[in-house]
Structures are given as structure tokens and as C-alpha cells.
């Protein structure tokens, strides 16, 4: 994955929900403190208040920013909306860029992964998970500028090792993407990252069952579980739905909607060692 350097230009975009202008400004200032030149989003409010703008406006902003003279594109927040604008983006025509986002942005990670572009699943500069969390900020910076390639964290669930391309993200968005026009299973031997927020155990059961029935997990060789914020106790659901896959599982890895979240690349090869609690890019 390409690294960023001081002086690089980056763009902030709003492909999903609207972010507080004050929070976007604060996040942009953090990025500027890293030596980056930052442009911020400018979309007219739309009739549906949970979207940052119309589907067309959000897609156009995304493509325009991506195809401008920038080294990276950061999503300001998730929420909801990425799924509505994916069919309006010419994914195969996008030049290589560093891309950062999480939560609802899982949909865009999948689209970019399908055309061979690696991405970064990490906190977004228009959210409290970035602006109010210096640890998460520095962990993202380490991935983008220093090329950190190894992480140690988590709790072993199912022992073993796996080696493959990192895929996944927010579990509900994986389920929402199933059956889309460009939907595809992961490559053989993939390592799946899974996390979520605000899904009660029975809803998480439905989400995982939907993904299982679609065959998405069939090529997966290992699983890393992140945070399950405001989901209640999901340990039994995760065990029931995932343990039968017979693959190594490392839990509580600390990515997603949590304090001090790790930023992790997607679309790149890595080795997972559950007993050693390590993920290493290869």
C-alpha cells in the first residue's frame, strides 16, 4: 500500500450521512497537523436528513475528489447511504489512491477491493472516534505514514493460523451487500474482519445467518473479531454462527467502533496467528 508523506494533498468526502461541520473542521486540523493539505466536503443538504446529499451529489463528490490531484481520500463519517450511491461510481476507472473509512463505508471497501485497490479500515475525521481519540489518531497515522505491518492484540477463540487477503469490515453492511450487481465472495484463503455497533444478539444472528447462507464465508480461512459496541453480550451468537466454520478465530482485536481503534488494511495479504495473537502483513 502506498504511504503518505508530509505535503500530500488529501480530500474529505461524505458518501453516507452528514457530519457536524465543527467535527469535520476539527478532524481536518488533525490531518493538517500531520503535514497534509486538506480539502473538505461541500454538499448541499438534501430532503432526507440522514444522508449528506442526494445519491448523485454524493457519488459525484466522491468521483471528483478521487480523480483530483490527491494522494488520499478520507470519508468523514458513516451512518447510512454508501449502498445507495455505489452503482453511480465507475469503480474500474478510478486511479490508485489511499482510502480510509469504516462502518457504512464497508460497502465502498468491497467495491474497491473488487477492482484490486487496497484500502484502510480506520476511524474517520468527522467522527468522535477520531477527533476525540488521540490513540486512534496515532494508530491511523502509523499505518498511513510509517507503514506499520504487524499488530498484537485480542483473545484467542479458535486456535490456528491462516494466511490470505484481508477482507470484511462492518458485518451488517456485508449482509446488505449480498446479492448486489458486483457482489462476490472473498478470494480463497481470505482472512475476514468482522465488527458491528448497535445490533442486538438476535439481529446479529440474522445478519450472520444471511452472510452464511450466501456462501460468503466458504473461502474464508481465518476470522478476526473487532468491537461489538452497544450490541449486548454477543459471545454465544458469535460462537453459534462462526465456530462451525472450522477456521482460526481471534476475538477482541480492537478495531471498529471502540476507543483506541486499530486501523487495518484491507485487500492486502496477511498472516494470522491466533495463539500468538498476531496479524502480520506478508
Amino acid at each position: 500500500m502506498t504511504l503518505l508523506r508530509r505535503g500530500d494533498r488529501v480530500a474529505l468526502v461524505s458518501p453516507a450521512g452528514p457530519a457536524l461541520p465543527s467535527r469535520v473542521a476539527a478532524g481536518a486540523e488533525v490531518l493538517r497537523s500531520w503535514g497534509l493539505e486538506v480539502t473538505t466536503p461541500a454538499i448541499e443538504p438534501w430532503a432526507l436528513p440522514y444522508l449528506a446529499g442526494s445519491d448523485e451529489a454524493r457519488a459525484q463528490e466522491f468521483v471528483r475528489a478521487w480523480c483530483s490531484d490527491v494522494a488520499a481520500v478520507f470519508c468523514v463519517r458513516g451512518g447510512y447511504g454508501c449502498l445507495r450511491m455505489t452503482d453511480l461510481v465507475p469503480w474500474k476507472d478510478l486511479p490508485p489512491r489511499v482510502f480510509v473509512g469504516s462502518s457504512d463505508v464497508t460497502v465502498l471497501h468491497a467495491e474497491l477491493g473488487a477492482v484490486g485497490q487496497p484500502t484502510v479500515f480506520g476511524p474517520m475525521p468527522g467522527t468522535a472516534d477520531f477527533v476525540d481519540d488521540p490513540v486512534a489518531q496515532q494508530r491511523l497515522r502509523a499505518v498511513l505514514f510509517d507503514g506499520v505491518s504487524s499488530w498484537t492484540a485480542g483473545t484467542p477463540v479458535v486456535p490456528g493460523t491462516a494466511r490470505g487477503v484481508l477482507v470484511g469490515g462492518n458485518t451488517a453492511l456485508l449482509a446488505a451487500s449480498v446479492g448486489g450487481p458486483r457482489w462476490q465472495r472473498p478470494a480463497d484463503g481470505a482472512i475476514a474482519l468482522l465488527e458491528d455497533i448497535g445490533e442486538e444478539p438476535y439481529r446479529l444472528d440474522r445478519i450472520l445467518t444471511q452472510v452464511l447462507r450466501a456462501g460468503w464465508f466458504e473461502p474464508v480461512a481465518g476470522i478476526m473479531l473487532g468491537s461489538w459496541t452497544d450490541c449486548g453480550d454477543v459471545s454465544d451468537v458469535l460462537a453459534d454462527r462462526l465456530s462451525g466454520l472450522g477456521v482460526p478465530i481471534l476475538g477482541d482485536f480492537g478495531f471498529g467502533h471502540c476507543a483506541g481503534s486499530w486501523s487495518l488494511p484491507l485487500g492486502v495479504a496477511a498472516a494470522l496467528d491466533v495463539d500468538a495473537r498476531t496479524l502480520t502483513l506478508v
Side-chain angles (χ1 to χ4, degrees), residues 25-85:
E29 282 306 306
V30 173
L31 298 180
R32 291 187 180 104
S33 75
W34 297 354
L36 299 173
E37 297 182 19
V38 183
T39 60
T40 55
I43 298 180
E44 292 296 324
W46 198 48
L48 299 178
Y50 50 82
L51 297 174
S54 70
D55 298 340
E56 293 77 11
R58 287 179 289 112
Q60 289 169 7
E61 180 204 46
F62 180 85
V63 174
R64 184 168 54 250
W66 194 285
C67 294
S68 66
D69 184 21
V70 297
V73 175
F74 292 75
C75 296
V76 295
R77 65 157 291 183
Y80 170 70
C82 290
L83 195 63
R84 290 182 46 141
M85 51 81 82

Side-chain angles (χ1 to χ4, degrees), residues 16-256:
L20 291 173
S22 59
R23 193 165 282 160
V24 174
E29 282 306 306
V30 173
L31 298 180
R32 291 187 180 104
S33 75
W34 297 354
L36 299 173
E37 297 182 19
V38 183
T39 60
T40 55
I43 298 180
E44 292 296 324
W46 198 48
L48 299 178
Y50 50 82
L51 297 174
S54 70
D55 298 340
E56 293 77 11
R58 287 179 289 112
Q60 289 169 7
E61 180 204 46
F62 180 85
V63 174
R64 184 168 54 250
W66 194 285
C67 294
S68 66
D69 184 21
V70 297
V73 175
F74 292 75
C75 296
V76 295
R77 65 157 291 183
Y80 170 70
C82 290
L83 195 63
R84 290 182 46 141
M85 51 81 82
T86 54
D87 295 340
L88 304 175
V89 176
W91 297 101
K92 293 181 179 180
D93 299 332
L94 299 180
R97 296 284 185 265
V98 174
F99 179 68
V100 179
S102 57
S103 196
D104 191 67
V105 181
T106 294
V107 175
L108 308 188
H109 287 295
E111 295 283 0
L112 290 163
V115 296
Q117 292 226 31
T119 58
V120 176
F121 191 87
M124 297 170 284
T127 68
D129 288 343
F130 179 87
V131 172
D132 299 332
D133 193 333
V135 173
Q137 292 173 19
Q138 290 309 308
R139 287 177 169 174
L140 176 58
R141 189 185 188 285
V143 169
L144 298 179
F145 283 81
D146 303 331
V148 60
S149 60
S150 183
W151 299 263
T152 301
T155 303
V157 177
V158 177
T161 61
R163 189 184 182 103
V165 174
L166 297 171
V167 298
N170 182 270
T171 313
L173 270 299
L174 293 178
S177 300
V178 167
R182 291 172 302 280
W183 176 81
Q184 57 184 290
R185 293 182 178 89
D188 288 343
I191 298 173
L193 279 60
L194 303 175
E195 65 86 33
D196 221 314
I197 182 172
E199 301 289 356
E200 294 184 31
Y202 81 94
R203 289 174 57 86
L204 183 59
D205 186 314
R206 176 188 57 78
I207 289 166
L208 289 170
T209 299
Q210 182 178 354
V211 179
L212 283 163
R213 293 186 67 195
W216 191 87
F217 283 109
E218 289 177 5
V220 168
I223 297 174
M224 294 171 52
L225 302 174
S227 62
W228 305 94
T229 303
D230 297 331
C231 293
D233 184 357
V234 298
S235 55
D236 289 343
V237 173
L238 293 172
D240 179 80
R241 297 285 74 196
L242 300 178
S243 60
L245 295 171
V247 302
I249 300 177
L250 182 58
D252 300 321
F253 201 80
F255 62 89

